[in-house]
Amino acid sequence: MSRLTATATCTAHGAIAEHSGEVVPQPLLAERVAWLAGLARDLTAGIVAARWSTADLDALARGVGLDGRALPAKGWMALRRLGWGVRPEPGVHVCDRVLRCAQEQAARLLRLALHRRALVHAIVATWPQEPGKRTDAEWHALRAVLPGGVSVADIRNRTRQIRAHLDQHHVLPGDLTDLEQPPNVAAQIVLAAADRQLATLERTGPHGARLRVKLPLTARPASGRDWAWHLLPIALPPTVPVEAKLCAPTLRVHNGRVRVDLPFQTPIAFAPATGHVIGCGFDWGLNTLLTGTIGHLTAGGRVVCDGRPLAYDASGVSAKLHRLRAEREHLAAKRRHLERLLAGLTPADARFAELSTAHEVLGVEHERVCARIRNLNKALAWSAARWAVDQAVAAGATVIYLEDLATLEARGRRGRANARLSGQVRGQVAEAIRHLAAKHGLAVVTVPARGTSTYCPRCGTGTSVLTHCPAPDRVAERGWAWAWCSACGLSGDRDQAAAERILARGLLGQQATRTDRTTGVRSIAQVVEGNVARARRPRKPTQAARRARRTRTDLHPRPQARDRSKSRPTPKRPTRTSKNTSKNTAKTSSRAPDRRTVPAPFPAGSGQRPAGHAPERGRHTPYRTGHVRNSHHRTGFHQAKATPVLELAERGSGPNQATPVRVA
């Protein structure tokens, strides 16, 4: 058994002052929490600014304190062992536990800077001849010195940052401090570094908890009398199970409300790295966001797949994201234009006030559009991850194989598509899949991405190259959506073929699975190729087939021939000018459809249906209402379409037992 850590954002709507018993309303509570978060922010900013130098970053990177001992994992203890203390402003009384919280936040920011620093040093040491287009040798040299877990998007962003510095100063940067200023510090208080002298947390029931924390009564407390204990009741969301262990939260103020970021740990089953028989492989598709397949490893070491395609199409959501990004860029351009105009004016000018107001309005609107993009990206990532994990659980799989984003290099048209899909939060999708798969005891392993769409999964273990074309009837044309093999005649979706090769690489090379000790991410660096066989699942005979077998009749009898002999006059068809037609009857057009082309509206008192959730079907609810009959209604979006989750595997006594298949 292991533990899965997650964070739930809760809201404290009020508190009770322990010394007087008075009820503290939400506005006053938000003000006092903001005072505490402001004190911690100022202390943290002072530490980060004082230690933002090459010598101090080198000392932190060495991991050894002044006494020669290794630095502990806790940030505030590591800074104190290095002798990096902090003091509040004169006249402000702050207890030692608040100083701990400030040092913990500063240590986290500096350790994140060490990761960016290692990335910058690796790129500068292997600076290419053409920064926008690296050769294979330059990519291999860069990979050899890069830290683990670095994606292509990180490399591209840091390369652009270094190139901008080179264009401006005509010299490569010597350190991260030459590229960046000290990072901004958020106004929050990290209670993970505190003990019961500053905060305590206890659970009061299955859906509630109580936080006891000491808050300042003024913005600048002068003594211990300006601090008081407060009891904050917290309502836990349904995502926090009863058996979860609650950890020390982080307090912050957002939009006038006190937000409590509450970490919790849930016990989960351990997912083994090897020994998998049934697995799911997913490809970061060009046609869809995720394309997958299900297969199993036979006793003879052969990968067999049933050929059923799994696809999560988010083209509608991607189009909306594209429109929002275009709007964001438009607002940013208008803001830059106003900044240039304001730079040439003085505050005494009559136009200065009007332009300043317009600049502030554009800033607020720009932030709102950015928030919409972030929320939509997050919702899309978790929706796709939930769908992928549901498919694996329904198939009885024990492992999910993904393409390694760190090896997903950009070349040609695939490179442009990869750059476009980078905005579709593939990294967030991968993290969400790992989180949700851990709850079901599934392992998530990444495999090398290079060559998955190049060779045929049926006959090409590195020899038969696929021909990419626009459609199956346009094989002679160049394209990217369809794959065709001239050797074995394979014709199918390009992403589906890549998903089968990903699955084969994972199942055949699972003995080479390695687990990162720091992040816990599992990956396979060794490429093991193997052909994928197509199988057909045996189907149980239907009731009609069993009846036909029992009665020895034809299952599909041929209909009797129609008697076309002329034995009576042809009946006259009714016309609109018939005498039987009433004068009050409304005339309809011959083009009017027999059925409604849109779903019938909901009753007036039923309210608006949330997006992505189909209404419950009752006795009087027809199937044609909404998306009930639509197979894509479980994705969480109206604009997203996905393959429905079906129970295809009959599970036996073991986790890796499934329905036998016949190899085609």
Side-chain angles (χ1 to χ4, degrees):
M1 297 293 293
S2 58
R3 289 186 176 272
L4 178 66
T5 304
T7 302
T9 301
C10 311
T11 303
H13 298 283
I16 299 176
E18 193 177 57
H19 66 286
S20 61
E22 63 177 352
V23 177
V24 180
Q26 183 176 0
L28 182 57
L29 177 63
E31 185 180 18
R32 293 179 180 179
V33 173
W35 290 339
L36 178 60
L39 292 174
R41 177 192 56 193
D42 296 340
L43 295 172
T44 303
I47 298 175
V48 174
R51 303 301 173 181
W52 193 253
S53 62
T54 302
D56 291 332
L57 292 179
D58 288 337
L60 182 60
R62 282 193 295 268
V64 180
L66 299 179
D67 54 357
R69 294 184 297 171
L71 297 180
K74 294 184 178 180
W76 65 273
M77 295 180 64
L79 295 192
R80 293 192 176 186
R81 189 166 294 182
L82 288 171
W84 296 355
V86 61
R87 293 182 179 181
E89 298 180 3
V92 178
H93 174 78
V94 174
C95 65
D96 180 70
R97 303 304 181 266
V98 178
L99 300 181
R100 278 189 188 182
C101 298
Q103 289 175 323
E104 177 67 27
Q105 188 174 359
R108 295 181 181 183
L109 293 176
L110 293 175
R111 283 175 172 173
L112 287 176
L114 290 181
H115 176 75
R116 301 195 303 272
R117 187 189 189 210
L119 179 57
V120 169
H121 285 177
I123 295 177
V124 171
T126 59
W127 188 250
Q129 295 293 335
E130 297 182 12
K133 185 179 181 181
R134 288 183 172 88
T135 62
D136 292 340
E138 291 172 344
W139 273 111
H140 289 303
L142 178 60
R143 294 292 182 191
V145 296
L146 275 177
V150 179
S151 63
V152 177
D154 296 333
I155 299 175
R156 181 175 62 251
N157 294 336
R158 293 300 164 185
T159 302
R160 292 174 179 175
Q161 186 182 25
I162 297 172
R163 188 174 182 177
H165 183 275
L166 179 62
D167 295 340
Q168 183 178 1
H169 302 281
H170 306 288
V171 63
L172 291 174
D175 202 353
L176 180 67
T177 55
D178 299 336
L179 288 175
E180 300 178 0
Q181 297 296 325
N184 298 326
V185 181
Q188 61 183 10
I189 179 71
V190 182
L191 297 178
D195 54 13
R196 59 182 57 192
Q197 296 186 20
L198 181 63
T200 59
L201 179 67
E202 61 178 352
R203 193 158 189 164
T204 58
H207 305 292
R210 182 173 59 189
L211 176 64
R212 183 173 178 264
V213 62
K214 185 180 289 187
L215 299 177
L217 302 179
T218 60
R220 296 175 59 86
S223 63
R225 297 180 179 179
D226 295 333
W227 294 77
W229 287 99
H230 292 69
L231 300 177
L232 282 67
I234 302 173
L236 301 179
T239 55
V240 182
V242 179
E243 66 274 9
K245 176 186 176 182
L246 304 183
C247 304
T250 298
L251 296 181
R252 56 187 175 89
V253 178
H254 179 70
N255 293 335
R257 295 187 176 184
V258 178
R259 301 296 187 184
V260 182
D261 296 330
L262 182 62
F264 61 95
Q265 296 179 347
T266 307
I268 57 174
F270 176 76
T274 58
H276 303 289
V277 177
I278 304 176
C280 289
F282 290 97
D283 174 61
W284 306 110
L286 298 178
N287 309 329
T288 56
L289 178 60
L290 277 179
T291 303
T293 186
I294 302 170
H296 78 281
L297 185 65
T298 62
R302 192 179 186 184
V303 179
V304 180
C305 175
D306 62 355
R308 190 174 72 98
L310 308 176
Y312 186 94
D313 184 7
S315 56
V317 185
S318 300
K320 184 174 183 180
L321 285 171
H322 181 72
R323 293 192 298 268
L324 289 176
R325 294 191 191 103
E327 184 179 357
R328 179 186 60 184
E329 297 300 328
H330 178 66
L331 294 174
K334 295 178 68 174
R335 287 187 63 193
R336 290 192 297 267
H337 177 65
L338 291 180
E339 289 175 358
R340 290 192 296 267
L341 294 179
L342 289 173
L345 300 178
T346 60
D349 197 325
R351 297 170 295 177
F352 187 85
E354 182 179 358
L355 294 179
S356 299
T357 304
H359 184 268
E360 294 178 0
V361 171
L362 288 176
V364 173
E365 186 65 24
H366 182 270
E367 181 60 31
R368 290 177 178 175
V369 173
C370 293
R372 290 182 62 188
I373 294 176
R374 289 193 301 267
N375 295 336
L376 191 56
N377 284 336
K378 181 179 178 180
L380 177 61
W382 283 95
S383 175
R386 179 75 271 174
W387 170 84
V389 174
D390 287 346
Q391 292 286 358
V393 172
T398 58
V399 62
I400 297 176
Y401 293 107
L402 302 173
E403 280 184 305
D404 191 358
L405 296 177
T407 61
L408 199 62
E409 300 176 5
R411 291 184 179 89
R413 177 154 189 165
R414 173 84 187 208
R416 294 194 297 270
N418 287 337
R420 182 177 69 252
L421 290 175
S422 298
Q424 296 183 353
V425 292
R426 289 184 294 189
Q428 294 185 21
V429 174
E431 291 298 329
I433 289 178
R434 292 190 182 97
H435 180 83
L436 296 176
K439 293 184 177 181
H440 296 275
L442 304 179
V444 179
V445 185
T446 60
V447 299
R450 187 172 184 180
T452 54
S453 302
T454 305
Y455 303 105
C456 177
R458 297 286 181 274
C459 63
T461 54
T463 56
S464 298
V465 180
L466 290 174
T467 300
H468 297 140
C469 53
D473 56 346
R474 300 161 59 187
V475 180
E477 303 179 18
R478 295 185 60 182
W480 53 273
W482 202 259
W484 176 70
C485 179
S486 57
C488 65
L490 172 69
S491 180
D493 185 80
R494 169 184 178 147
D495 301 335
Q496 177 69 17
E500 292 182 359
R501 290 191 64 86
I502 292 171
L503 178 63
R505 288 184 178 184
L507 290 177
L508 296 177
Q510 57 182 301
Q511 299 299 330
T513 304
R514 297 292 180 265
T515 304
D516 189 276
R517 294 183 178 181
T518 305
T519 60
V521 176
R522 292 173 175 172
S523 60
I524 299 176
Q526 180 181 359
V527 178
V528 180
E529 299 290 3
N531 294 338
V532 180
R534 184 64 60 86
R536 184 174 61 238
R537 295 179 180 272
R539 296 181 179 180
K540 295 182 179 180
T542 61
Q543 184 179 3
R546 293 194 298 268
R547 185 187 305 111
R549 184 183 305 174
R550 184 174 60 254
T551 58
R552 297 182 180 181
T553 58
D554 191 2
L555 178 61
H556 303 287
R558 183 170 180 171
Q560 297 180 358
R562 181 180 175 183
D563 186 11
R564 298 182 179 275
S565 59
K566 188 72 172 180
S567 60
R568 58 185 177 86
T570 303
K572 185 178 180 181
R573 296 180 180 179
T575 60
R576 301 188 186 93
T577 59
S578 177
K579 298 181 181 180
N580 299 330
T581 304
S582 175
K583 297 181 179 180
N584 298 329
T585 303
K587 296 182 180 181
T588 58
S589 173
S590 59
R591 298 183 180 181
D594 296 335
R595 299 179 181 178
R596 296 180 60 92
T597 58
V598 296
F602 287 95
S606 61
Q608 185 177 2
R609 174 168 59 87
H613 298 277
E616 298 182 359
R617 181 177 178 268
R619 184 176 61 179
H620 303 289
T621 304
Y623 272 117
R624 298 186 181 277
T625 303
H627 291 268
V628 178
R629 292 291 291 176
N630 193 345
S631 61
H632 315 304
H633 72 283
R634 295 291 295 175
T635 59
F637 293 97
H638 283 312
Q639 300 90 347
K641 300 179 181 179
T643 306
V645 179
L646 302 176
E647 290 282 352
L648 297 181
E650 295 181 1
R651 303 179 187 178
S653 57
N656 293 330
Q657 296 184 3
T659 305
V661 295
R662 297 195 302 268
V663 179

